[in-house]
Amino acid sequence: MTRMRTAYLCSIGAIFLIAHLSYYVQFPGLLSTVGVEPAATRVLPHSFPVLHQILKRKNIDGDSFIEITCLLGVLLSSIVASGLFQHASFFIALTAIYFFLTKTGGSFFTFQWDILLTEVGFVTALCCAPWLKLRPNNNNDIGAWPVRFLLFKLMFMSGVVKIQANCPTWLNLTALEYHFATQCLPGPLAFHAHQLHPFFLRLSVAATFVIEIPAAFLLIAPLASFRTVGAWLQIVLQLVIITTGNYTFFNLLTIALCLPCFERGRDTSDSEQVSGPTLALLTSTRLQYIACLGFLLWAAADICQFESVGGRWNVKLAWNKADTDEYINNTLPFAIPAVFLFAGLSCIRHIFDAFSRADGERKRALGSVSYIMQLTACCLCVGILSIPMTDLTPKLAASKYFGSQLFQPIWLHARQYHLSSGYGLFRRMT
């Protein structure tokens, strides 16, 4: 599991590197003093007035300061991506730097992927990156739960808002009949995808809804096999998007968020963790995969309807806005608290494992305290991340979920720094 955690941290570092390099390359033409939207003279005084006054008093050129800050981000992200140092302080610095760059970037850096990267950096720094060592070297998966929840939030909200927007292209499953030809930056296979049969394109939209809405719950399942299936579905979807369109690092970032879903929490196999034929059957990985497949087939049958008109097959969306709102109201009030429960169970399991090892009493106590502190940070993260989801429906906004009132005041401050946001890319197909 340590290798998977290291791969995740390296991936986030590499994406931060891409983001900072992209900013630095575009800065002269877009944001310099002679650019389209000068950051130092137009954006900086409004977004960071105190900093602007300091730079002005010290006679420091604003353009040079922003470029040096960006290069510092390039340096730190290169170190993290190389795996040399992956301390939490590096991710805190990268998150702060990129937040500063997106604010000074004005209208050119307000896209959802820019906000998402800031949110990912915050969650990674607080829960996933090591605080006591320079590189991860433990086998606990407590810190993976906020990342899994963030991926769940991203995909679930991206799916349901398409139906809630009442956009006819999504409701009629015809979005892909226009998307490949009207997107801003088509990929190498966009032209060929646009030529596909309308039935296949509508089937693809239906599959997208299945992957983004019900399959998203697999990402926060307590069973590793369920999370593995859910993560692979998201990865396949992102790879298809990459081949047909250019959305900078957004799809790569989504794939990176899938990596913690492959963490199992222990190095032992399932067969070594159970005893007895009944328990072995219930925890059989093969049986879990069959159950997961059954859930996906049921979900697909619930969302989509197949019909034959004049001997020609067609697929229709069975849900409307009211059905989607009801689905949200019936699932989220239970799914969000379940993540707290699963993280808590992971913490308890690791504490029991620590006491079962032949370590000294002091080491056991310190290990238990560290697990409890990590669980506290994870619950804080999940609570803050969950608040935007409670606004998906009026009923959910009024009732929230049990315990959400604790996180509402914190979220009000966190959202100012893009640490917890809502998502809905392509809410309406243009």
Side-chain angles (χ1 to χ4, degrees):
M1 192 183 71
T2 302
R3 291 195 298 270
M4 189 61 67
R5 181 65 60 87
T6 301
Y8 168 73
L9 296 177
C10 288
S11 300
I12 299 303
I15 294 169
F16 266 115
L17 177 60
I18 294 172
H20 284 94
L21 286 174
S22 174
Y23 186 100
Y24 184 77
V25 171
Q26 298 178 80
F27 181 82
L30 294 180
L31 303 169
S32 68
T33 306
V34 295
V36 177
E37 189 176 0
T41 56
R42 291 188 185 180
V43 184
L44 196 61
H46 301 288
S47 300
F48 301 95
V50 176
L51 177 61
H52 175 69
Q53 290 299 324
I54 294 175
L55 294 177
K56 191 175 180 180
R57 188 165 55 249
K58 298 289 185 180
N59 199 27
I60 300 174
D61 180 62
D63 284 0
S64 300
F65 178 83
I66 295 173
E67 287 187 297
I68 291 173
T69 303
C70 185
L71 288 175
L72 177 61
V74 170
L75 175 62
L76 293 178
S77 56
S78 298
I79 295 173
V80 172
S82 69
L84 187 62
F85 298 122
Q86 296 180 327
H87 193 267
S89 59
F90 281 70
F91 287 95
I92 292 175
L94 286 172
T95 303
I97 290 172
Y98 198 67
F99 170 74
F100 169 74
L101 295 178
T102 55
K103 292 293 286 185
T104 57
S107 57
F108 295 106
F109 287 87
T110 57
F111 295 99
Q112 291 193 32
W113 44 80
D114 297 308
I115 297 173
L116 176 63
L117 183 56
T118 308
E119 191 168 348
V120 170
F122 161 68
V123 173
T124 303
L126 195 59
C127 300
C128 283
W131 281 88
L132 300 178
K133 296 184 180 294
L134 295 177
R135 289 189 295 270
N137 66 341
N138 57 53
N139 288 320
N140 86 75
D141 67 334
I142 303 172
W145 282 105
V147 181
R148 295 166 186 166
F149 182 78
L150 175 55
L151 178 61
F152 163 73
K153 179 179 79 166
L154 171 66
M155 302 314 301
F156 185 81
M157 294 188 74
S158 297
V160 296
V161 298
K162 293 180 175 69
I163 303 177
Q164 289 180 317
N166 278 325
C167 177
T169 59
W170 288 118
L171 296 179
N172 297 326
L173 303 181
T174 57
L176 290 183
E177 296 177 33
Y178 311 97
H179 168 68
F180 298 119
T182 59
Q183 61 183 326
C184 298
L185 296 172
L189 300 181
F191 173 80
H192 304 285
H194 184 64
Q195 311 303 318
L196 293 174
H197 194 278
F199 174 74
F200 182 81
L201 293 176
R202 295 178 186 184
L203 194 64
S204 299
V205 177
T208 300
F209 279 126
V210 174
I211 293 173
E212 289 185 340
I213 303 177
F217 287 94
L218 299 176
L219 302 171
I220 53 174
L223 301 176
S225 53
F226 278 45
R227 296 196 302 269
T228 299
V229 173
W232 276 116
L233 287 174
Q234 306 301 334
I235 290 173
V236 170
L237 175 62
Q238 300 307 315
L239 290 175
V240 172
I241 295 174
I242 288 174
T243 60
T244 57
N246 185 347
Y247 298 96
T248 68
F249 54 79
F250 181 69
N251 306 110
L252 295 176
L253 181 56
T254 306
I255 292 174
L257 290 174
C258 293
L259 296 180
C261 294
F262 295 106
E263 295 184 10
R264 291 182 172 268
R266 291 186 182 183
D267 292 331
T268 54
S269 63
D270 291 338
S271 60
E272 296 172 330
Q273 298 176 20
V274 297
S275 59
T278 304
L279 279 177
L281 177 63
L282 292 175
T283 58
S284 167
T285 303
R286 182 177 300 177
L287 185 62
Q288 292 172 8
Y289 283 131
I290 293 174
C292 187
L293 177 62
F295 166 73
L296 291 173
L297 292 175
W298 171 82
D302 185 50
I303 292 179
C304 308
Q305 292 180 343
F306 289 90
E307 61 181 8
S308 178
V309 180
R312 302 180 64 179
W313 282 97
N314 188 28
V315 58
K316 295 175 58 178
L317 185 66
W319 287 7
N320 54 30
K321 184 181 184 300
D323 297 325
T324 305
D325 288 351
E326 182 181 3
Y327 183 83
I328 294 171
N329 293 330
N330 292 337
T331 55
L332 286 190
F334 302 98
I336 297 174
V339 178
F340 291 99
L341 174 63
F342 298 151
L345 292 176
S346 294
C347 179
I348 294 172
R349 188 187 72 227
H350 288 301
I351 291 176
F352 273 107
D353 288 347
F355 276 89
S356 65
R357 292 193 295 266
D359 298 327
E361 290 294 332
R362 184 172 180 274
K363 193 172 182 180
R364 293 175 184 174
L366 289 176
S368 300
V369 171
S370 68
Y371 290 141
I372 293 173
M373 291 178 63
Q374 190 173 13
L375 174 63
T376 303
C378 291
C379 290
L380 177 64
C381 261
V382 172
I384 296 173
L385 296 177
S386 67
I387 298 301
M389 301 189 75
T390 60
D391 291 328
L392 282 172
T393 68
K395 181 179 178 180
L396 191 60
S399 60
K400 307 290 185 183
Y401 65 89
F402 179 76
S404 61
Q405 296 82 1
L406 295 173
F407 305 105
Q408 185 79 24
I410 306 174
W411 174 78
L412 291 174
H413 294 285
R415 66 173 181 174
Q416 302 176 47
Y417 305 101
H418 298 168
L419 302 183
S420 178
S421 306
Y423 298 96
L425 197 64
F426 285 110
R427 181 186 182 94
R428 299 189 69 88
M429 181 58 67
T430 55

